[in-house]
Amino acid sequence: AVVSTQSTGALSSNSTLIQSTARFLYAQSKLSTCPAEHRHTTFRTLESHLITALAGFLALSHVRYVTELFYFLARLYDEFGMRDDRNKCAKKFRNFYQNLTIHDPL
């Protein structure tokens, strides 16, 4: 209940970073607290929150959160046998990271 109440305020924020972070944390908390038999259905319901959060982090080029979210999504896709989605996620992350290193070499 606390997560729902606090995330509602954060989702109405004007800050892309705050909105994206709230969506990511909301989805993580919902998935971690749902019963195992409802995990796949819960994920499918929250997938749009995760994709929207990812779009926000990508727009901000927030490397840490982009990395965490891509990894989280890929793990979930793999857990539910969604190999094509997992591979697409991995490819998008690879492209993001390659573009990042091209523009900002370490």
Side-chain angles (χ1 to χ4, degrees), residues 48-103:
S48 65
H49 279 284
L50 293 168
I51 302 236
T52 302
L54 180 60
F57 293 140
L58 285 167
L60 296 169
S61 295
H62 199 295
V63 177
R64 189 180 106 222
Y65 285 138
V66 167
T67 302
E68 286 180 23
L69 202 94
F70 268 128
Y71 182 74
F72 186 68
L73 272 171
R75 264 191 7 220
L76 289 169
Y77 287 140
D78 189 60
E79 178 182 336
F80 300 123
M82 303 165 71
R83 304 291 188 265
D84 289 340
D85 289 324
R86 180 204 59 197
N87 293 341
K88 287 177 193 174
C89 194
K91 183 178 179 179
K92 287 178 183 179
F93 173 72
R94 188 173 48 249
N95 290 341
F96 169 77
Y97 191 74
Q98 285 174 342
N99 287 334
L100 181 70
T101 57
I102 288 170
H103 297 301

